[in-house]
Amino acid sequence: MEFTSETGKIPKGYGYLLKPSVILAALTAQDLGGIRIHLVRSHGRRLFDARYRPPDGEIPYERLNIKVGTAHERDLPPLRRRAKEEGLPTLVQWISDLVAQDLPTAIRNGEQEIELLPQRE
């Protein structure tokens, strides 16, 4: 497993739902094989979601792209709790189940998405 991350600037009064180290710790507790994981933390409507992409003609390895968003500081404590207690375990189970499938299966051979926390309105 290879893990990379990038973090964008956010407006004053906002914070990210999860730290890269928290996500990395949860994912490394599982055997995910040679999947490459890229975390993007940015300000926007998305709070927490992920997309699995299988190898294709241009990229010969599996990828998991995770997006973590921001929330206003007053809203952060309950959202962080939900992200850690609900969203992160769901992500780990989802990707573990997916990579446990044989690569040629329809499930693992196509793009898959999961929304772990609903988008901000």
Side-chain angles (χ1 to χ4, degrees), residues 7-17 41-44 68-73 76 80 120:
T7 300
K9 293 188 179 207
I10 57 176
K12 196 171 193 158
Y14 283 79
Y16 285 109
L17 268 61
R41 296 190 321 153
S42 62
H43 183 67
V68 172
T70 61
H72 196 276
E73 288 175 347
L76 271 175
R80 280 186 174 147
R120 184 173 53 227

Side-chain angles (χ1 to χ4, degrees), residues 2-120:
E2 181 180 312
F3 183 86
T4 57
S5 70
E6 59 184 88
T7 300
K9 293 188 179 207
I10 57 176
K12 196 171 193 158
Y14 283 79
Y16 285 109
L17 268 61
L18 293 170
K19 294 180 181 182
S21 60
V22 171
I23 295 170
L24 181 59
L27 292 170
T28 54
Q30 299 295 315
D31 180 15
L32 299 177
I35 194 166
R36 294 192 184 181
I37 299 167
H38 185 69
L39 168 64
V40 175
R41 296 190 321 153
S42 62
H43 183 67
R45 292 184 59 211
R46 290 179 163 178
L47 290 178
F48 190 18
D49 61 40
R51 172 181 281 170
Y52 166 83
R53 298 182 71 193
D56 59 32
E58 296 178 18
I59 301 174
Y61 49 83
E62 295 174 283
R63 295 151 289 170
L64 176 63
N65 297 313
I66 303 169
K67 295 202 175 169
V68 172
T70 61
H72 196 276
E73 288 175 347
R74 71 175 176 268
D75 302 325
L76 271 175
L79 286 171
R80 280 186 174 147
R81 191 169 29 263
R82 278 189 62 206
K84 285 180 186 175
E85 294 174 3
E86 298 171 26
L88 199 52
T90 300
L91 171 65
V92 171
Q93 186 65 54
W94 176 75
I95 194 62
S96 296
D97 291 347
L98 203 109
V99 299
Q101 304 290 319
D102 289 333
L103 192 53
T105 63
I107 293 171
R108 192 167 174 190
N109 204 23
E111 283 191 28
Q112 306 287 328
E113 282 188 62
I114 187 169
E115 185 177 83
L116 300 157
L117 287 180
Q119 292 187 18
R120 184 173 53 227

